[in-house]
Amino acid sequence: MLLKVAYAWGLRRNELRMLDTIDFGFNPKAPAFGRYGVLYVRYGKAMKGSPPKRRSVLTVPEMDWAVESLVQWIEDIRPRVSHEDNPALWCTERSSRIALGSVSNTFNQFRTELGLASGIDFHSLRRSYVSHLIEYGYEARFVQEQVGHEHASTTSIYTHVSSDYRTRVVQNAFERIAGRAVRQGSHERRNRESTS
């Protein structure tokens, strides 16, 4: 579940580790997600000498599978390993919150079990989130806000779209141009007919 949440909301390791159960909220524009329509990141990456940056990450429809899993985690599984007064979303039986190294270790364990290349790291989930949002058609500025990047150039570095996506973009451009040519031809024909 830890890795699902990291990917579904595009989180950094510490942002993920520092989540509490109360860090989710209702988005009136997406009532289908219930109290999981917004994720409030309280421990975003800070500028040097500044406090952690806060941001709101909206749950997107393409990641709705994560909401159901998260509800199951919070309601059924987490209570078995945590004390009632522990706010941490990710905890162990002996600690109020998992260690930062546990996040990387969990990812590395799954990477090894799945036979993925060793160059793939935890941050690859975040880069994939950015790329997938772009491929789904979200505007670059929205994606930048979702992941809390100060500059658009940082977001663009993260973006690696598939060749299928690039092909669709070009195909859509051809269709738009062809549609414009057809509309322009119809308009010119009507003008000629009206002047004759």
Side-chain angles (χ1 to χ4, degrees), residues 81-100:
V81 295
S82 177
H83 304 293
E84 279 184 34
D85 59 343
N86 181 2
L89 184 60
W90 317 110
C91 50
T92 68
E93 295 94 354
R94 296 177 301 276
S95 173
S96 62
R97 192 175 303 279
I98 63 169
L100 194 57

Side-chain angles (χ1 to χ4, degrees), residues 3 30 65 71 74 82 90 111 115-116 130 133 152 154 167 172-173 187:
L3 300 179
W65 49 265
V71 169
I74 290 175
S82 177
W90 317 110
R111 181 190 63 208
L116 300 174
V130 168
L133 288 188
T154 307
T167 301
N172 290 342
H187 180 69

Side-chain angles (χ1 to χ4, degrees), residues 33-84:
F33 299 133
R35 79 171 201 101
Y36 300 97
V38 183
L39 169 60
Y40 299 104
V41 175
R42 294 175 297 116
Y43 291 92
K45 187 175 181 182
M47 302 283 284
K48 190 172 184 176
S50 299
K53 275 179 65 176
R54 293 173 173 249
R55 73 177 186 282
S56 301
V57 183
L58 300 178
T59 305
V60 295
E62 294 82 0
M63 304 297 184
D64 63 351
W65 49 265
V67 173
E68 187 177 332
S69 299
L70 186 59
V71 169
Q72 183 181 15
W73 169 260
I74 290 175
E75 293 179 4
D76 301 335
I77 300 167
R78 186 185 165 279
R80 296 178 189 176
V81 295
S82 177
H83 304 293
E84 279 184 34

Side-chain angles (χ1 to χ4, degrees), residues 182-194 196:
V182 168
R183 286 190 302 278
Q184 185 176 357
S186 297
H187 180 69
E188 289 172 0
R189 200 169 34 257
R190 278 190 303 252
N191 283 344
R192 280 195 307 271
E193 291 170 357
S194 66
S196 358

Side-chain angles (χ1 to χ4, degrees), residues 115-130:
L116 300 174
S118 60
I120 297 173
D121 60 4
F122 177 83
H123 212 66
S124 298
L125 296 172
R126 186 170 159 81
R127 289 187 289 269
S128 294
Y129 174 79
V130 168

